[in-house]
Structure formats: structure tokens, C-alpha cells
Amino acid sequence: MEGAYYVGRNEILAWINSRLQLNLTRVEEAASGAVQCQLMDMAHPGVVPIHKVNFDAKTEYDMIQNYKVLQEIFNKLKITKNIEVNKLVKGRPLDNLEFLQWLKRYCDSVNGGAMNENYNPVERRSKGGKERNPRCSQKNVKSLQINNTGNLPSSCDDGNNSKISDVKLGKVVGLAGFANSSAQIQALTNEMTDLKISVDLLEKERDFYFSKLRDIEILCQTPELENLPMALAIKKILYSEEKGSSLPEAEEIAPNFS
């Protein structure tokens, strides 16, 4: 496993937020590719066509366009890193974390990781592209609200006014409850994300060590080595089904094992 994989999620997020003056709380929020493009823009001034970067990208189509820009940057700089776009745009935490870990290591290698004091990330983002397929749903909702308000009677009796006040009060209470629920859902979502990252990293580590043990097993099964005391001792340990250490028995087979 590469050393970059040991950089934690919180450290990555803190690094991005401090460099780009953002407030990311999850690595998936960088799935659009815009953050990666701007980090390259900071590391290599003048190389990134920032006007092509869509900082409002929400759809996979718009995200893919950002990654195309990133690939163009990599090509210019002769960077051979493979960008797994199909995985990144899905917003999977581990895939995005690993790519950001690699990017941090790369940026740290440029000018010793020193920040460009003259770089203004907010100003640079203002020069980025806009969303190609803007959604008008919010405008439509506001329009409907205005129309519905206009259709209300201009005057109501006291009973109706009381009912309307009760309805408004209920809406306020409901909104407060909704806000609390949203905060709880967000906290649980963050916890699930952390657990998923931990599980994925453990699976990677398991597969890594399993592959090493498999290589040792294959080596011990070669005709030239399989009957040597050392190979027999190693196989004794590998194939032991008993709980506890098999080292004492292995040492009996190969006295110089330890």
C-alpha cells in the first residue's frame, strides 16, 4: 500500500478547505472534479483553463466535462495518473478519498508543497464556467407561491384569520422539527460514510496481506524449495488450523527458523 493512503479523511478535508477557502465536510462533495481542477490551478498557475471548469456541476454529464478538463491538464504536464471518472462521479467515498490523497501527495511535491501566497481561490472560482443545464425549479416554485397568494381573498373573517394563524404556527413548529431531523440525518450519514471508508480500507489491507501470503505459499511450493526445512516450516504455519501460534512446531521442523 502506498504511503499516501494513510492520510486521513479529516486531514484531506482540512487541507482542501484551507487551500481553497472552502467548507467541505465530506470527500464526496469533491466528486464533481472542480476541486481537483482548482488544486492543479493553484499548483500550476496559467496551465488550467479555469473558464472551462464548472463549479456548479451537479449532473454526471457536467462532472465528466470537469474531469475532461483535468485530463487535459494531466496531458499538458505529462502526468500519467489514471483518472477513474466513472467511479469518481458516483460519489463513492473511498474512490474520491484515494484520488484526493494522491492529489495531495502530488501538490506537496510541487515547490515543496509551499502555498502560492498570491493565489486567490475565491476570485479564481468566480471566473469558472456556469452550470450547463440550470434548473428552474426554484423559480417555478416562487412563481406558484406568488400566484397562489394573489388568488387569496383580500379579506377574511376573524374565524378564518385564527385558522390561518394556527396553520402558520404549525408550519413553523414543523419546520423546526424538520431542521432537527435533517441535522440528525446528516450526522448519521457522516457516521455511515466514516464506517464505510474504514471497512473499505480494512478490506484493502486484508487483500494486500493475503496476496503477500499467497506469494510466499507459491514460492514454498516450487520444486526447488518445497522439501527444504525452511519451506516446510513456513507451510506448517500457513496451513495450521489450530488456534494460537504454530511457531514452536515450525521451529522443530527447522531449528534455525527463529
Side-chain angles (χ1 to χ4, degrees), residues 62-119:
D62 287 332
M63 294 178 184
I64 290 172
Q65 304 312 307
N66 282 343
Y67 283 108
K68 286 183 178 179
V69 175
L70 187 62
Q71 186 62 65
E72 291 176 6
I73 299 166
F74 280 15
N75 292 342
K76 285 182 183 178
L77 299 172
K78 294 181 170 44
I79 298 173
T80 58
K81 172 69 175 175
N82 180 41
I83 306 175
E84 296 183 296
V85 178
N86 291 334
K87 291 182 179 181
L88 295 172
V89 297
K90 298 297 182 184
R92 292 175 55 184
L94 184 60
D95 293 319
N96 280 276
L97 176 61
E98 288 185 353
F99 189 69
L100 290 171
Q101 287 170 331
W102 174 88
L103 191 57
K104 181 182 186 305
R105 187 177 62 173
Y106 173 81
C107 291
D108 287 345
S109 70
V110 178
N111 298 324
M115 290 184 62
N116 183 353
E117 299 297 335
N118 296 323
Y119 187 82

Side-chain angles (χ1 to χ4, degrees), residues 32 34 50-63 65-66 125-138:
S32 72
I50 204 71
H51 64 281
K52 292 184 178 181
V53 180
N54 185 352
F55 289 97
D56 297 321
K58 299 292 188 298
T59 65
E60 285 192 11
Y61 173 82
D62 287 332
M63 294 178 184
Q65 304 312 307
N66 282 343
R125 280 196 293 276
S126 68
K127 297 179 180 179
K130 302 299 181 183
E131 192 170 0
R132 294 168 178 78
N133 298 312
R135 298 176 182 177
C136 301
S137 56
Q138 292 182 344

Side-chain angles (χ1 to χ4, degrees), residues 33-51:
V35 166
Q36 292 84 334
C37 287
Q38 190 169 13
L39 287 170
M40 294 299 293
D41 182 57
M42 182 177 63
H44 297 282
V47 173
V48 179
I50 204 71
H51 64 281

